[in-house]
Amino acid sequence: MLGLMQQQDLSVSSLIDFAEKHHGDVEIVSRRMEGDIHRSTWATIASRSRQVANALDQCKIGQGARVATLAWNGYRHLELYFGVSSSGRVIHTLNPRLHPDQIVWIANHAEDEVMCFDMTFLPIAQQIHARCTTVKHWVALCDADKLPADSGIPGLVSYESWMSHQSTDYAWPTLDENSASCMCYTSGTTGNPKAALYSHRSTVLHAYACALPDVMCLSARDSILPVVPMFHVSAWGLPYSAAMVGAKLVFPGAALDGKSIYELLETEKVTLAAGVPTVWQMLLGHLGANNLRFNYLKRTVIGGSACPPAMIHAFNDQYGVEVLHAWGMTELSPLGTLCTLKNKHLDLPEDEKMKIRLKQGRAIFGIDFKIVDDNGKEQAHDGKAYGDLLVKGPWVIQEYFKQEGASPLVDGWFPTGDVATVDADGYMQITDRSKDVIKSGGEWISSIDVENIAMAHPDVLMAACIGMAHPKWDERPIVVVVPKPGKTVVREELLKFYEGKIAKWQIPDDAVFVESIPIGATGKMLKTKLREMLSTYQLPS
Ligand code: ADP
């Protein structure tokens, strides 16, 4: 017997319609490229997203066609998110931090038909436009009077002249909830980038999940600042979730330095901010140097790479801000787990609670995970046994775009490429990316553990642990360290700092000091590059 409830396809358009109808006056604040602060509302975003849809119709952009962006977090990007997807096209967010040749490769692979770019990225657009063979329309995200006369890009129009004279009426089409809404390429640290193609259904379900109390706990009382870029995995879905709950959004544009972010957090009374650890490092540095405090910020979601314990402590103990440690990946839209305590943990002493908060967290309803050994055998949930992390759920990819038929799944599970433990309460902890695992004398050493200890040293800014070939032990770990500005760290003292914190055989054989550690397009340390930098390095004998 079938249920007798209404059948309604889940759609991105329902999110913007809802935000307009029920939270129309809620502000969307953006720091623009020009440096000024722009103020809009959900109602205006909705109306302008319909103008975007009309502009796309006028350009004869068909259903399912890809509309690409090369843009910072800002109100125009948000209008494109909703206008493009709600009208049945696919928004394809390109990562401007990639090499221009890689952007060309991705744009051609995606067959992008429209390219919208922020003026910061005009030099990239100028370099790539002749090679992006499928792009028919180039749109600069600026006012008409800011469009350069001699951009060298034939037919370039300003966003405002392209869309702002269009009608604000548009009837969103009824779409199959499984149709594509957004496309995002993995950063391609190994091989060519691959595209995850999110559907309206997966996007709405992911938005629901993010908003749950044990996830980001989003509500109409929040003012949310996504530092995490809209060009990488939809700013962790926050634009969609914010529309769903009617939260205020605050966009930092290109100014990601500690001072600029701090100013926005305070003036816009931001309650929740989200970003990768490297960005928070800059913010904490600014606060420390200027003896500042947060007056409004309550929680910060940190993910994308392991959040060093020292950072969780700083936010929690010094500034009274709750850190929500999250794990996810492009293939998961991206959220997989998030760390919040359970009822039974509430009376634990502070240091015991902290041990839990350091983990990447519990599964969110919708996501199932397991850890398996090399033979696919499930490993115990005892917090000690580790294995390859596999996931499944309605916002996990089934196949990559243009690789249909070659499913990455193993018996219906997506192998994440991460190695993890799971404790008896279901808290998952990433020990390594499988390709970064260090094997010493047949035992694994977690590079994240080694890095976290170095990061707890007061004079260390950044640390990366990599394995070096060793004649007897196969591999031994070394730690590569960037000291804080104006500080020196002594090798012997740092190695001594490890004593008592991990087993003796896990202590790195050496500490190497560098000016900077290479960071990739998505804010993660590039260990492949680091290994190249240290290609002539010899372990101490
Ligand atoms: P890619 O760099 O391949 O594009 P993503 O940007 O999607 O991938 O990043 C996904 C990966 O980032 C995860 O598989 C994991 O290795 C790492 N990661 C994400 N969040 C965390 C976290 N909280 N702790 C440790 N690693 C993390």
Side-chain angles (χ1 to χ4, degrees):
M1 185 160 85
L2 292 176
L4 292 172
M5 307 309 281
Q6 293 182 11
Q7 176 67 42
Q8 247 180 50
D9 285 304
L10 302 177
S11 68
V12 167
S13 62
S14 65
L15 296 172
I16 190 66
D17 284 350
F18 177 83
E20 177 180 36
K21 186 167 175 184
H22 300 286
H23 303 280
D25 63 344
V26 172
E27 278 193 309
I28 308 295
V29 180
S30 314
R31 191 192 289 282
R32 303 205 306 168
M33 301 321 109
E34 296 82 350
D36 63 339
I37 300 291
H38 176 275
R39 309 193 92 84
S40 182
T41 60
W42 276 117
T44 307
I45 297 289
S47 139
R48 281 169 55 94
S49 68
R50 291 191 291 271
Q51 291 181 304
V52 166
N54 279 315
L56 291 169
D57 281 4
Q58 197 172 29
C59 290
K60 303 211 169 359
I61 304 302
Q63 294 287 292
R66 268 74 69 202
V67 175
T69 57
L70 269 170
W72 298 109
N73 294 4
Y75 64 102
R76 289 181 176 126
H77 208 171
L78 190 66
E79 292 156 9
L80 285 162
Y81 260 49
F82 288 106
V84 170
S85 303
S86 303
S87 65
R89 286 88 180 194
V90 179
I91 184 145
H92 173 206
T93 52
L94 281 158
N95 187 336
R97 294 197 181 118
L98 294 173
H99 189 277
D101 291 349
Q102 225 171 0
I103 297 178
V104 170
W105 187 93
I106 293 174
N108 287 335
H109 188 262
E111 300 174 52
D112 294 332
E113 293 186 25
V114 183
M115 181 76 74
C116 305
F117 62 88
D118 267 335
M119 288 305 281
T120 329
F121 306 123
L122 176 66
I124 300 180
Q126 287 168 326
Q127 269 186 64
I128 66 172
H129 75 94
R131 289 180 287 154
C132 293
T133 51
T134 57
V135 178
K136 297 179 216 146
H137 304 275
W138 292 80
V139 180
L141 296 169
C142 63
D143 293 336
D145 62 352
K146 297 280 180 335
L147 193 71
D150 51 353
S151 69
I153 301 172
L156 179 67
V157 290
S158 79
Y159 179 76
E160 295 300 329
S161 60
W162 179 65
M163 55 72 78
S164 64
H165 65 277
Q166 297 285 346
S167 161
T168 55
D169 290 332
Y170 195 91
W172 301 128
T174 305
L175 302 168
D176 180 329
E177 65 176 5
N178 292 307
S179 52
S181 63
C182 176
M183 179 183 265
C184 190
Y185 280 71
T186 62
S187 56
T189 33
T190 48
N192 272 331
K194 292 178 285 214
L197 191 53
Y198 312 127
S199 65
H200 285 262
R201 176 185 157 79
S202 69
T203 302
V204 173
L205 291 176
H206 180 264
Y208 264 119
C210 287
L212 284 172
D214 264 2
V215 188
M216 297 193 203
C217 191
L218 305 178
S219 78
R221 290 163 298 291
D222 276 314
S223 167
I224 303 174
L225 190 148
V227 186
V228 50
M230 290 167 79
F231 59 70
H232 190 60
V233 228
S234 321
W236 298 349
L238 282 168
Y240 303 113
S241 301
M244 177 177 273
V245 302
K248 170 178 172 178
L249 273 174
V250 183
F251 290 126
L256 304 180
D257 60 287
K259 181 170 180 286
S260 308
I261 295 287
Y262 179 75
E263 266 171 25
L264 275 186
L265 291 174
E266 288 297 303
T267 55
E268 300 307 324
K269 301 187 176 169
V270 170
T271 53
L272 174 117
V276 296
T278 37
V279 165
W280 298 133
Q281 199 111 41
M282 292 192 281
L283 179 67
L284 289 175
H286 176 72
L287 258 79
N290 298 285
N291 212 5
L292 300 167
R293 309 217 48 82
F294 294 117
N295 290 303
Y296 306 97
L297 190 67
K298 292 197 184 76
R299 20 196 228 296
T300 165
V301 186
I302 305 186
S305 30
C307 180
M311 185 171 285
I312 302 189
H313 275 293
F315 269 112
N316 191 69
D317 310 346
Q318 271 170 273
Y319 299 108
V321 173
E322 184 185 9
V323 169
L324 302 169
H325 194 190
W327 168 87
M329 57 197 307
T330 308
E331 287 87 341
L332 272 74
S333 309
L335 215 59
T337 66
L338 192 131
C339 197
T340 48
L341 302 181
K342 292 185 174 181
N343 177 274
K344 69 177 187 185
H345 299 136
L346 296 181
D347 294 331
L348 287 177
E350 219 20 68
D351 58 330
E352 291 294 316
K353 285 186 191 164
M354 191 50 84
K355 276 189 200 147
I356 300 171
R357 290 202 182 101
L358 299 180
K359 302 191 176 193
Q360 276 76 4
R362 296 182 273 127
I364 301 163
F365 172 74
I367 294 288
D368 195 8
F369 64 62
K370 63 178 181 179
I371 45 171
V372 300
D373 68 9
D374 290 347
N375 303 315
K377 186 170 173 284
E378 243 187 271
Q379 300 298 291
H381 287 188
D382 58 8
K384 293 192 185 76
Y386 47 80
D388 291 319
L389 179 68
L390 275 65
V391 295
K392 64 175 173 184
W395 57 88
V396 177
I397 66 154
Q398 176 79 20
E399 293 174 312
Y400 291 102
F401 173 63
K402 287 193 178 169
Q403 294 190 11
E404 290 88 342
S407 172
L409 306 190
V410 180
D411 296 332
W413 293 80
F414 175 73
T416 63
D418 287 324
V419 177
T421 60
V422 180
D423 69 20
D425 288 325
Y427 287 81
M428 185 275 286
Q429 183 159 29
I430 303 276
T431 58
D432 253 308
R433 194 100 165 175
S434 57
K435 60 180 187 308
D436 295 330
V437 158
I438 301 165
K439 215 160 187 192
S440 176
E443 294 287 344
W444 283 10
I445 297 175
S446 161
S447 65
I448 294 179
D449 283 352
V450 175
E451 285 156 11
N452 282 345
I453 293 172
M455 295 286 288
H457 186 285
D459 297 335
V460 169
L461 182 68
M462 233 171 129
C465 171
I466 52 174
M468 286 288 169
H470 188 280
K472 181 168 174 201
W473 304 109
D474 288 340
E475 271 189 322
R476 287 295 303 153
I478 65 163
V479 63
V480 185
V481 168
V482 183
K484 281 190 181 157
K487 303 281 180 186
T488 7
V489 183
V490 179
R491 174 186 176 275
E492 287 69 24
E493 191 240 323
L494 181 64
L495 296 179
K496 219 171 157 33
F497 188 68
Y498 276 91
E499 286 175 15
K501 298 191 174 84
I502 40 173
K504 236 180 172 163
W505 61 273
Q506 295 173 328
I507 296 179
D509 279 11
D510 199 3
V512 177
F513 298 93
V514 293
E515 267 176 30
S516 66
I517 290 174
I519 299 284
T522 57
K524 296 183 219 300
M525 293 191 286
L526 281 182
K527 292 199 179 171
T528 38
K529 272 248 170 77
L530 193 59
R531 286 191 193 99
E532 280 167 26
M533 268 169 65
L534 297 173
S535 59
T536 55
Y537 170 86
Q538 297 269 331
L539 278 171
S541 41

